[in-house]
Amino acid sequence: MDWQGQKLAEQIMQILLLAFAVVSFVAGYVLGSFQMMMLVYAGGVTLIALITVPNWPFYNRHPLNWLDPSEAEKHPRPQVAVSSKKKATKK
Amino acid sequence: MHSFVYRLNGLLTFSVTILAIMCAITSLSDNLHTPSPSAEIQVMNINWFQKQPQGNDEVSLTMNISADLQTLFTWNTKQLFIFVAAEYETPKNSLNQVSLWDAIIPSKEHAKFWIHTSNKYRFVDQGNNLRGKEFNLTLHWHVMPKTGKMFADKIVLTGYSFPEEYR
């Protein structure tokens, strides 16, 4: 994923989780069934996991532009000078 | 958000936190519920009423307990624990409570019932104060939730009394 994709995935996850929490609570309360609330919520969590966790292509629409290798060759890395020092001879 | 495992971890922890909040709200929703239970207990018979060798009174009685506790059930109720206790006063104790019978009601359908039974647990006094004594029978209930706070309440039925003499 690229940076924009990561932000998008995080936003989708948070908003959908809160939305599913509200929907499942209302469904359970209206139907008078605690089990229904749990089932709807569990289904929601699974669905959100499928949408936001894997690395889908639509999260990669603003890919990072790494420098081309040919461009990099024009600006070579500076070499660190290695000078071999001879031991000072005894006078 | 930087890797698959990172996102999965974030999702799981956030979803469990939200689940905890949902359970808290579910428990709070029980406070909005106003139940209207009713109950009646008839003492059909005093089977026997004796003084034990140790000196304590013991009585065995048969009761007819009928109740409609259906309105106590909410969507967040797992089961209802009910018990019948005899309450009376003695010179030694200002309040004696003796549990005579209990039951677990697992669902709303079972909450409207009547039962003809002798006391499940022995009714023994601390002493020999029961002859001619007036007592109350209280039906207590504990509404055990699926999540959250447990509520307990009771109905007090008055006007019962022991015989004057042992039999």
Side-chain angles (χ1 to χ4, degrees):
Chain A
M1 278 190 196
D2 55 54
W3 302 116
Q4 298 279 37
Q6 288 178 6
K7 184 174 167 190
L8 181 65
E10 183 174 357
Q11 281 177 334
I12 289 179
M13 187 187 84
Q14 288 174 342
I15 292 176
L16 278 189
L17 269 179
L18 287 172
F20 259 101
V22 171
V23 164
S24 67
F25 182 82
V26 169
Y29 190 75
V30 164
L31 293 172
S33 166
F34 190 84
Q35 193 178 29
M36 191 49 64
M37 178 173 90
M38 285 298 149
L39 285 174
V40 171
Y41 186 64
V45 170
T46 318
L47 183 73
I48 294 166
L50 287 171
I51 295 175
T52 63
V53 174
N55 195 1
W56 298 115
F58 64 85
Y59 289 126
N60 213 13
R61 281 188 290 208
H62 303 269
L64 297 159
N65 291 318
W66 294 104
L67 217 48
D68 270 346
S70 54
E71 186 74 30
E73 273 164 16
K74 291 180 194 168
H75 308 274
R77 199 178 249 228
Q79 295 288 324
V80 178
V82 178
S83 55
S84 54
K85 287 181 184 164
K86 287 186 182 166
K87 270 190 178 174
T89 54
K90 281 186 182 171
K91 275 188 180 168
Chain B
M1 300 298 144
H2 304 292
S3 76
F4 184 94
V5 177
Y6 185 104
R7 285 191 294 276
L8 189 63
N9 181 43
L11 173 78
L12 286 174
T13 50
F14 194 43
S15 66
V16 170
T17 305
I18 291 182
L19 182 66
I21 296 175
M22 275 164 62
C23 286
I25 297 177
T26 304
S27 181
L28 286 174
S29 79
D30 272 349
N31 289 311
L32 301 171
H33 181 81
T34 49
S36 53
S38 62
E40 208 182 86
I41 305 178
Q42 277 179 303
V43 176
M44 304 303 286
N45 188 30
I46 306 272
N47 304 332
W48 46 265
F49 182 16
Q50 291 294 322
K51 185 168 177 177
Q52 288 180 338
Q54 295 91 344
N56 296 326
D57 279 351
E58 185 174 351
V59 63
S60 163
L61 34 76
T62 303
M63 299 174 284
N64 195 349
I65 305 167
S66 66
D68 181 2
L69 304 172
Q70 287 187 323
T71 55
L72 289 171
F73 275 85
T74 72
W75 69 306
N76 186 28
T77 302
K78 180 173 186 329
Q79 64 195 15
L80 213 52
F81 173 70
I82 61 174
F83 65 96
V84 172
E87 294 178 351
Y88 57 94
E89 193 183 321
T90 56
K92 187 175 164 197
N93 304 318
S94 62
L95 177 66
N96 297 279
Q97 285 175 311
V98 184
S99 179
L100 299 177
W101 173 86
D102 55 29
I104 288 181
I105 301 180
S107 68
K108 197 167 177 176
E109 291 73 36
H110 294 96
K112 187 166 181 179
F113 66 95
W114 67 268
I115 178 171
H116 188 91
T117 176
S118 60
N119 47 316
K120 202 170 171 183
Y121 306 109
R122 298 174 64 164
F123 191 161
V124 180
D125 186 29
Q126 282 183 337
N128 52 359
N129 308 297
L130 293 185
R131 278 164 292 173
K133 174 78 67 185
E134 279 180 19
F135 65 98
N136 295 339
L137 284 174
T138 48
L139 177 69
H140 296 246
W141 57 82
H142 285 63
V143 181
M144 301 168 76
K146 290 188 171 125
T147 174
K149 183 171 185 281
M150 183 172 82
F151 294 87
D153 203 355
K154 62 185 181 184
I155 286 182
V156 181
L157 303 160
T158 60
Y160 307 90
S161 58
F162 293 106
E164 299 286 346
E165 293 302 322
Y166 292 127
R167 27 170 135 145

